[in-house]
Amino acid sequence: MKLLHKDIEKDNAGQVTLMPEEAEDMWHTYNLLQVGDSLRASTIRKVQTESTTGSVGSSRVRTTLTLCVETIDFDSQACQLRVKGTNLEENQYVKMGAYHTIELELNRKFTLAKKSWDSIVLDRIEQACDATQKADVAAVVMQEGLANVVLVTPAMTLLRAKVEVTIPRKRRGSCTQHEKALERFYEAVMQAILRHINFDVVKCILVASPGFVKDQFITYLYKEAVRQDNKILLENRPKFMLVHSSSGHKYSLKEILSDPTVTSRLSDTKAAGEVKALEDFYKMLQHEPDRAFYGVAHVEKAADALAIDTLLISDKLFRHQDVPTRSRYVRLVDNVRDNGGNVRIFSSLHVSGERNLIHVLTHRDND
């Protein structure tokens, strides 16, 4: 995301102009938008025209509209964002108050105006525009006949490809069909990796499976890379890391990121840090329950007592349409930060934040 202009007054009203540069920027934009905001962007409008002879035709024209946001629709798999609302500024194609839907596009700027920019939204902009916070982890979670190729970004866990191949069982005296099917499966997984993983950005590719499937796949991958003289795979061989998982389904990713060897390898990534923070909470809840709290009421009491060391909270809570409810969570985060506590905001589209969590770890001296 690129920040082109920022104009926020002392009363926190104002506007920013941003340009989304990659698919994940649409997720950040979704978290910035709220019902009642003003969104100005380029869009396509179908208009009817009447000729001098009276015949009526229609055409699609590009125009710039300013909408009062009413509905926000985000497609997490396609990373597409559509915003519906009423037109605030009349132009030659659209009347005042007319409904329109804008689909925000990559590399096209938009201007977002709010009556009040709170700290959570401003932090989101800073995070989205930070060039260092990009997808640097990929994972291939597999078992015989099933593989999920996933990108782990700072905010999202994106399924990029799902490979399914039927593998016949081994027959007594002949394994030919079984081995041919496995080879087809490994070839499809290799092509999915080459198609969906940007080796210039990704620092580590986790290959996980139960049993020896991962080992057999890596052996096949390196053998094919040498045979085909595939320089991309050969040069990036050190980035591949083998990890055990209980299955080849996407939900096993949380288990993989919790592995201590993986955590140490990914110590500089946000993904591993969030999973570790959640694991620390569950461990404390089990062994030192007096220091671990969850639920809004209990967390707020801990904040009032200045007892919070780390607050874990889902970004889904900040998309609440009820302004007082949203403001309650914003005040809580600001209170914790102002009193020296740590705040981790989990993405609801990330493997670590799929629930509406709000947990805290308290200081030891406040037991």
Side-chain angles (χ1 to χ4, degrees), residues 7 14 47:
D7 181 20
V47 297

Side-chain angles (χ1 to χ4, degrees), residues 77-96:
Q77 289 306 312
C79 283
Q80 293 180 334
L81 181 60
R82 297 179 183 87
V83 182
K84 182 180 179 181
T86 52
N87 187 31
L88 294 174
E89 297 179 6
E90 187 170 357
N91 67 17
Q92 63 185 107
Y93 303 115
V94 187
K95 296 178 180 179
M96 280 277 289

Side-chain angles (χ1 to χ4, degrees), residues 209-225:
S209 79
F212 296 101
V213 178
K214 59 186 181 300
D215 307 88
Q216 294 167 357
F217 168 69
I218 286 295
T219 301
Y220 173 88
L221 184 74
Y222 293 157
K223 182 181 175 181
E224 284 298 298

Side-chain angles (χ1 to χ4, degrees), residues 136-140 193 197 199 202-207 236 239-242 265:
D136 53 5
V137 180
V140 182
I193 289 173
I197 294 178
F199 287 91
V202 168
K203 296 176 183 176
C204 180
I205 302 147
L206 305 171
V207 182
N236 290 279
K239 293 183 179 179
F240 286 87
M241 180 180 181
L242 301 185
R265 175 79 178 265

Side-chain angles (χ1 to χ4, degrees), residues 35 90 150 164 173 225 238 255 274 284 314 324:
V35 173
E90 187 170 357
V150 179
E164 291 183 285
E255 166 197 347
E274 290 190 348
M284 189 173 287
S314 170

Side-chain angles (χ1 to χ4, degrees), residues 198-267:
N198 184 350
F199 287 91
D200 293 331
V201 177
V202 168
K203 296 176 183 176
C204 180
I205 302 147
L206 305 171
V207 182
S209 79
F212 296 101
V213 178
K214 59 186 181 300
D215 307 88
Q216 294 167 357
F217 168 69
I218 286 295
T219 301
Y220 173 88
L221 184 74
Y222 293 157
K223 182 181 175 181
E224 284 298 298
V226 172
R227 188 181 70 82
Q228 300 175 15
D229 192 25
N230 189 312
K231 293 181 179 178
I232 293 176
L233 291 176
L234 292 173
E235 290 172 0
N236 290 279
R237 184 169 177 166
K239 293 183 179 179
F240 286 87
M241 180 180 181
L242 301 185
V243 192
H244 173 77
S245 69
S246 56
S247 79
H249 296 279
K250 184 185 169 187
Y251 62 74
S252 293
L253 191 58
K254 185 175 180 180
E255 166 197 347
I256 296 162
L257 291 173
S258 301
D259 188 302
T261 56
V262 174
T263 305
S264 61
R265 175 79 178 265
L266 308 181
S267 57

Side-chain angles (χ1 to χ4, degrees), residues 104-119:
L104 294 178
E105 303 173 59
L106 294 179
N107 301 309
R108 283 192 182 275
K109 67 179 182 180
F110 65 88
T111 299
L112 178 63
K114 290 178 177 287
K115 294 177 182 178
S116 178
W117 290 84
D118 59 50
S119 60

